[in-house]
Amino acid sequence: MTFDDILKKLDLSANDLPQGDYSVTSPIDGGELFRVAMDNKASVEAKIAKSAEAFKAWRMVPAPRRGELVRLLGEELRTYKEALGALVSMECGKIYQEGLGEVQEMIDICDYAVGLSRQLFGLTIASERPGHRMAETWHPIGPVGIISAFNFPVAVWSWNAALALVCGDSVLWKPSEKTPLTALVCQKILERAMAKFGDAPEGLSCVILGEREIGEQLVDDTRVPVISATGSTRMGRQVGPRVAERFGKTILELGGNNAMIVAPSADLEMALRAIVFSAVGTAGQRCTSLRRILVHESVKDALLPKLKAAYASIPVGNPLDEKHLVGPLIDEDSFNNMQSALAQAKTEGGTVHGGERLNVNDGGFYVRPAIVEMPAQSDVVCHETFAPILYVLTYKDLGEAIALQNGVPQGLSSCIFTTDLREAETFLSSGGSDCGIANVNIGPSGAEIGGAFGGEKETGGGRESGSDAWKGYMRRQTNTVNYSSALPLAQGIKFDI
């Protein structure tokens, strides 16, 4: 299957995309897919200005009507799910089933947002003053800037865009320069929904293509009150202060260093399946990838041989071939980072199994997922390497395991496998996992739409997708109405004139 084949299935052609000099390559074989036109300072300025004008019109559209646009987007995504899933696989290297799953996430968040469009509730607040009514209301906030990473090239945009649109905001999307084609295609799909909708303002959704300096222009613009950025902790350290300096809001989804505690009572067969999917899916390039196993010393000898055997049998290869479960790393830099981490692990006392490059496809960086037995939670273990490296450590009691789980700078996702109710509840308690996501008898990957997604510490503290994450895309207003004929002051203050 070629890129042109996928475009045809999407009812598009090369002429529908902005053609230019920037070469987009596939991690599958390193081959060129397309050459796109990148934005410059002037074109970004024009798109931000257009987005700001679109916001002024869109905020006046009733929220349930705004939800209709998102419903139409969901229907378009259903129509093109297979083709878009294949494009995700081709451009970022994840296997086709994961590409389909990512598009399904887009459909699910659209369904969620449609319902949300009739549930943007405020509060009625009791007033201490007689004849007064207090209420809390929520209003659209403005253009929302979305900066997404290569590993989830479409789902993360949809998590933000679907909620922002029903909340009354316009959206500006800067995808990773490694995966611009999926963004351009999603924009075309949304434009089809907008055409069916009928009266969506021009500029309601814009894609901005470019590298660091283009992202900085978006981040620094005061007309964009919210920046939702997904990427590395290093990126977040730069984006957060810049937006804060201009008193904007950020939704940061940064690094993860996710652990699984395997307790003495764990169902080891279930844990094994969860480990393999969570650790090697997307070639270990998820923010929720499993990177550490904390296994009780009494069950390590029963679990580890099975895990090594499973790793040895994992089919690695072209992600569009459904017999493969692991595709390539995104590029050579990712491969080199993986090899550096494995070398450091060895110097810190680790025993490495796997991790070598596989001769699968010239130009693609395919690797055997690695298991690394570590004597302690050393520096390399505490650092997130975006690659399929799984560190294995042992523990003696639950308190030690939780301390190891929490003893890294990141705080995204976590899990425990146990059939002991006390252990499970301790893990979920205030003295347990310090992550934004904590699971029992399920791996750290595969979050569902409906629960707020995000983490603590160096993960950034942001929340996207479900629960009350919609509040990040709106501004809060407290209203007080005096319907009496008197003017009492709060706190009983006397001020007569």
Side-chain angles (χ1 to χ4, degrees):
M1 183 183 297
T2 67
F3 179 55
D4 285 340
D5 293 333
I6 293 177
L7 284 180
K8 289 178 183 178
K9 291 182 178 182
L10 290 162
D11 293 326
L12 294 170
S13 72
N15 293 330
D16 293 311
L17 305 180
Q19 300 183 46
D21 298 327
Y22 185 83
S23 177
V24 183
T25 60
S26 172
I28 293 175
D29 58 6
E32 183 174 275
L33 296 175
F34 197 74
R35 287 181 174 264
V36 299
M38 302 292 262
D39 279 288
N40 55 38
K41 186 174 182 180
S43 64
V44 173
E45 163 62 31
K47 289 179 179 179
I48 294 175
K50 187 178 291 186
S51 181
E53 286 302 308
F55 165 69
K56 293 177 182 178
W58 189 241
R59 66 184 176 181
M60 303 307 295
V61 176
R65 174 67 178 154
R66 300 192 298 250
E68 172 63 8
L69 173 59
V70 177
R71 187 192 70 79
L72 291 169
L73 172 60
E75 291 303 306
E76 293 294 316
L77 291 170
R78 284 179 169 87
T79 299
Y80 296 104
K81 176 180 175 179
E82 287 75 19
L84 183 54
L87 179 57
V88 168
S89 183
M90 179 176 287
E91 192 174 31
C92 85
K94 64 176 57 176
I95 62 172
Y96 178 55
Q97 283 298 316
E98 290 187 86
L100 292 177
E102 186 166 346
V103 181
Q104 187 61 48
E105 283 191 56
M106 303 175 78
I107 295 168
D108 292 344
I109 193 62
C110 286
D111 289 349
Y112 181 90
V114 172
L116 179 66
S117 69
R118 294 180 180 272
Q119 300 180 75
L120 300 174
F121 299 137
L123 299 171
T124 298
I125 304 167
S127 174
E128 67 184 59
R129 290 171 283 185
H132 286 58
R133 178 177 62 82
M134 292 179 65
E136 176 185 277
T137 55
W138 293 86
H139 299 294
I141 193 170
V144 173
I146 304 167
I147 300 174
S148 61
F150 77 85
N151 59 327
F152 279 86
V154 294
V156 168
W157 167 73
S158 69
W159 293 354
N160 288 276
L163 297 191
L165 288 171
V166 300
C167 287
D169 304 324
S170 54
V171 293
L172 293 149
W173 181 15
K174 185 207 169 296
S176 167
E177 61 271 21
K178 298 177 182 179
T179 52
L181 299 178
T182 43
L184 294 172
V185 166
C186 286
Q187 175 69 14
K188 290 296 181 182
I189 291 173
L190 177 56
E191 287 173 1
R192 289 173 181 160
M194 291 167 65
K196 292 180 179 180
F197 182 79
D199 57 354
E202 183 183 3
L204 182 59
S205 173
C206 298
V207 173
I208 297 172
L209 300 184
E211 297 184 332
R212 177 179 176 137
E213 67 279 3
I214 294 300
E216 289 176 342
Q217 186 177 349
L218 179 64
V219 163
D220 291 340
D221 200 297
T222 57
R223 292 168 294 182
V224 185
V226 178
I227 295 291
S228 177
T230 300
S232 67
T233 297
R234 178 183 58 80
M235 179 272 289
R237 291 190 194 280
Q238 298 169 13
V239 170
R242 293 178 79 137
V243 177
E245 186 175 12
R246 62 177 178 84
F247 298 103
K249 296 170 62 176
T250 55
I251 302 170
L252 297 177
E253 298 289 353
L254 310 177
N257 194 346
N258 315 294
M260 175 191 293
I261 298 173
V262 182
S265 66
D267 181 328
L268 295 185
E269 292 301 320
M270 184 185 292
L272 179 65
R273 294 196 301 273
I275 290 167
V276 174
F277 171 74
S278 300
V280 309
T282 321
Q285 297 171 119
R286 297 191 195 114
C287 55
T288 56
S289 289
L290 180 62
R291 309 212 179 276
R292 298 176 291 143
I293 296 180
L294 314 175
V295 57
H296 193 270
E297 57 186 12
S298 67
V299 294
K300 178 184 177 183
D301 289 343
L303 176 66
L304 200 54
K306 294 180 180 180
L307 183 59
K308 291 176 182 177
Y311 263 52
S313 67
I314 292 172
V316 180
N318 188 322
L320 289 170
D321 184 337
E322 292 207 57
K323 71 182 180 183
H324 296 135
L325 296 181
V326 176
L329 296 171
I330 188 65
D331 55 24
E332 185 176 6
D333 286 344
S334 182
F335 172 75
N336 290 338
N337 289 336
M338 178 179 181
Q339 298 310 305
S340 295
L342 292 176
Q344 183 179 346
K346 290 179 181 177
T347 66
E348 294 176 1
T351 302
V352 176
H353 310 275
E356 69 277 8
R357 186 176 180 183
L358 301 176
N359 186 22
V360 172
N361 202 332
D362 290 341
F365 288 88
Y366 296 82
V367 295
R368 173 66 56 195
I371 298 171
V372 184
E373 297 178 67
M374 295 296 295
Q377 190 154 271
S378 61
D379 289 345
V380 72
V381 180
C382 293
H383 175 77
E384 180 194 32
T385 301
F386 227 51
I389 300 175
L390 181 63
Y391 298 107
V392 180
L393 300 96
T394 59
Y395 73 92
K396 296 181 182 297
D397 59 62
L398 183 61
E400 179 189 2
I402 290 174
L404 286 169
Q405 143 66 39
N406 296 342
V408 295
Q410 309 84 0
L412 178 53
S413 191
S414 60
C415 61
I416 186 172
F417 271 73
T418 180
T419 55
D420 185 318
L421 178 62
R422 288 178 175 174
E423 287 190 324
E425 291 295 338
T426 298
F427 181 74
L428 298 178
S429 74
S430 58
S433 169
D434 64 359
C435 293
I437 299 170
N439 298 329
V440 175
N441 294 330
I442 186 173
S445 296
E448 297 180 35
I449 297 303
F453 180 88
E456 303 300 325
K457 301 188 295 187
E458 289 189 2
T459 302
R463 293 296 186 275
E464 295 171 332
S465 187
S467 185
D468 64 348
W470 61 270
K471 293 180 179 179
Y473 307 91
M474 305 194 82
R475 61 181 178 88
R476 185 197 315 247
Q477 188 176 83
T478 300
N479 311 132
T480 305
V481 176
N482 179 3
Y483 58 89
S484 74
S485 58
L487 191 64
L489 300 178
Q491 291 84 49
I493 294 173
K494 301 295 184 184
F495 194 81
D496 297 326
I497 57 173

